[in-house]
């Protein structure tokens, strides 16, 4: 009994250092042995982290690399801070910027074209982006460009609308994507050419703490079910193309050829 009494304050201290931050449904395994759930397509853990980053930054869209997600998940119910660090054991912070529809198309065309979409540890599998505020349709059977369609959540319409090539969208990601993961720093700022685009700027808030705050402000447990954000449509044979030509000009509009200088 004396030993139990001695352990009690240590147990209380441990719980205080590992608090319950919120509640979710059942979170499935993201990575165990050679299995990599998030590299095969949409995954609940990626949805949670991207939802939280988009909420924290107020961005239109959010995206993170699939390669960083790990962990054996957790049962439905309370989520502790250590669960979030087990799911993403890296000191990544938020990154925010503004990109045009053209730049967002380039980003999503790249990720869907190079990702392997396999649930195993492949070298390019991590290049698949998990997303929030987006519905991305692709066809893994196509060569080169696999992107079929992109729809963006419109907060005013409360619905997904087709990507607008010249509209400016605020985006949120993390420091690894914006600052380190080869090709993505260019796609989140280095390649921007249109007026109004703002390269991603890295902040100082750890992503795990952002997710904890996000879960803490929800009234209901976060839903871990699939949201249809990454959809593989193998029946679609024509890839997405934002090139405009005279015969694609809408009625009552005048088509004028222009090039970026």
């Amino acid at each position: 009994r004396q030993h139990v009494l001695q352990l009690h304050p240590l147990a209380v201290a441990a719980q205080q250092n590992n608090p319950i931050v919120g509640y979710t449904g059942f979170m499935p395994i993201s990575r165990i042995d050679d299995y990599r759930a998030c590299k095969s397509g949409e995954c609940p853990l990626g949805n949670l982290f991207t939802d939280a980053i988009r909420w924290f930054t107020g961005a239109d869209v959010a995206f993170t690399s699939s390669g960083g997600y790990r962990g054996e998940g957790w049962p439905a119910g309370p989520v502790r801070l250590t669960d979030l660090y087990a799911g993403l054991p890296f000191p990544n912070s938020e990154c925010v910027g503004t990109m045009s529809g053209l730049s967002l198309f380039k980003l999503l065309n790249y990720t869907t074209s190079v990702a392997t979409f396999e649930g195993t540890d492949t070298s390019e599998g991590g290049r698949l982006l998990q997303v929030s505020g987006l519905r991305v349709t692709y066809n893994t059977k196509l060569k080169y460009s696999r992107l079929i369609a992109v729809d963006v959540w419109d907060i005013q319409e409360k619905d997904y609308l087709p990507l607008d090539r010249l509209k400016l969208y605020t985006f949120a990601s993390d420091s690894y994507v914006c600052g380190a993961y080869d090709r993505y720093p260019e796609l989140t700022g280095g390649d921007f050419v249109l007026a109004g685009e703002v390269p991603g700027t890295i902040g100082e808030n750890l992503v795990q703490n952002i997710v904890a705050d996000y879960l803490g402000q929800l009234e209901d447990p976060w839903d871990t079910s699939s949201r249809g954000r990454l959809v593989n449509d193998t029946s679609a044979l024509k890839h997405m193309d934002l090139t405009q030509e005279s015969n694609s000009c809408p009625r009552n509009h005048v088509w004028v050829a222009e090039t970026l200088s």
Side-chain angles (χ1 to χ4, degrees):
R1 178 176 175 78
Q2 183 178 0
H3 293 302
V4 172
L5 293 175
Q6 289 174 341
L7 286 174
H8 179 70
L10 297 177
V12 172
Q15 282 195 325
Q16 290 175 343
N17 291 328
N18 185 28
I20 293 174
V21 296
Y23 297 82
T24 73
F26 168 71
M27 181 63 70
I29 294 172
S30 294
R31 169 175 171 171
I32 187 171
D33 298 327
D34 194 45
Y35 176 64
R36 305 288 189 273
C38 297
K39 291 186 177 184
S40 65
E42 178 182 348
C43 69
L45 192 61
N47 285 347
L48 172 59
F49 273 71
T50 53
D51 276 359
I53 294 171
R54 187 162 71 96
W55 163 80
F56 179 78
T57 61
D60 295 318
V61 301
F63 44 83
T64 60
S65 163
S66 292
Y69 292 117
R70 285 153 167 73
E72 299 184 16
W74 54 78
V79 180
R80 294 190 178 274
L81 190 58
T82 51
D83 293 323
L84 303 181
Y85 275 93
L88 186 72
F90 302 102
N92 297 342
S93 58
E94 86 282 11
C95 171
V96 296
T98 303
M99 60 171 51
S100 66
L102 283 170
S103 293
L104 185 54
F105 166 81
K106 287 175 58 179
L107 174 83
L108 297 173
N109 190 51
Y110 173 77
T111 182
T112 54
S113 296
V114 300
T116 56
F117 293 97
E118 297 177 11
T120 57
D121 190 15
T122 57
S123 60
E124 300 299 321
R127 296 189 181 278
L128 176 64
L129 295 177
Q130 299 295 318
V131 302
S132 177
L134 290 163
R135 285 193 315 204
V136 182
T137 305
Y138 52 88
N139 182 354
T140 55
K141 292 186 176 181
L142 295 180
K143 292 184 178 180
Y144 311 115
S145 179
R146 297 168 168 171
L147 191 61
I148 302 299
V150 177
D151 298 297
V152 185
W153 179 256
D154 188 289
I155 192 171
Q156 293 181 336
E157 296 294 332
K158 294 184 175 10
D159 197 3
Y160 286 93
L161 301 181
L163 178 73
D164 186 330
R165 63 196 299 272
L166 296 181
K167 183 177 179 178
L168 294 175
Y169 299 96
T170 53
F171 72 87
S173 188
D174 61 37
S175 52
Y176 180 62
V177 171
C178 288
Y181 200 7
D182 183 37
R183 192 71 187 97
Y184 284 114
E186 288 76 26
L187 291 167
T188 56
D191 290 345
F192 288 176
V193 296
L194 295 182
E197 293 188 302
V198 180
T201 300
I202 296 172
E204 299 180 348
N205 299 279
L206 287 175
V207 169
Q208 294 85 352
N209 292 340
I210 290 175
V211 179
D213 290 343
Y214 171 66
L215 289 175
Q217 56 86 42
L218 295 176
E219 294 183 358
D220 300 312
W222 187 81
D223 184 2
T224 57
S225 61
S226 178
R227 310 293 179 83
R229 298 178 182 182
L230 297 176
V231 178
N232 184 20
D233 182 359
T234 56
S235 67
L237 301 179
K238 182 176 177 57
H239 63 79
M240 186 175 178
D241 187 356
L242 292 185
T243 303
Q244 288 188 335
E245 299 176 342
S246 58
N247 59 3
S248 66
C249 191
R251 187 178 179 181
N252 298 323
H253 287 69
V254 177
W255 185 80
V256 179
E258 291 184 352
T259 57
L260 294 173
S261 58

